[in-house]
Amino acid sequence: MTRTVTLNKDQKLTEEQILEIEAARNKPIIFDEDSPELTPAMEKAFTLAAKSRNRVRNIS
């Protein structure tokens, strides 16, 4: 499950949010057919695509 929270600039995380983040940090990554582990070539392509996307966002 993915949870998205939007914080205001000066808003602090609650103790519950901090505990959730710590718990998620300690869980192992589980790869499956819908979310396979990336090969080095796939990682490079993903990084390049993200950089390109960010450049376009910053220009707009």
Side-chain angles (χ1 to χ4, degrees), residues 10-43:
D10 297 321
Q11 185 178 354
K12 303 287 184 190
L13 293 173
T14 65
E15 185 64 30
E16 180 183 2
Q17 290 170 326
I18 293 170
L19 291 173
E20 286 181 23
I21 292 168
E22 291 297 325
R25 180 182 292 157
N26 295 325
K27 288 185 178 181
I29 298 172
I30 301 172
F31 300 105
D32 60 17
E33 68 250 7
D34 292 330
S35 177
E37 188 169 8
L38 299 178
T39 65
M42 291 167 69
E43 285 183 34

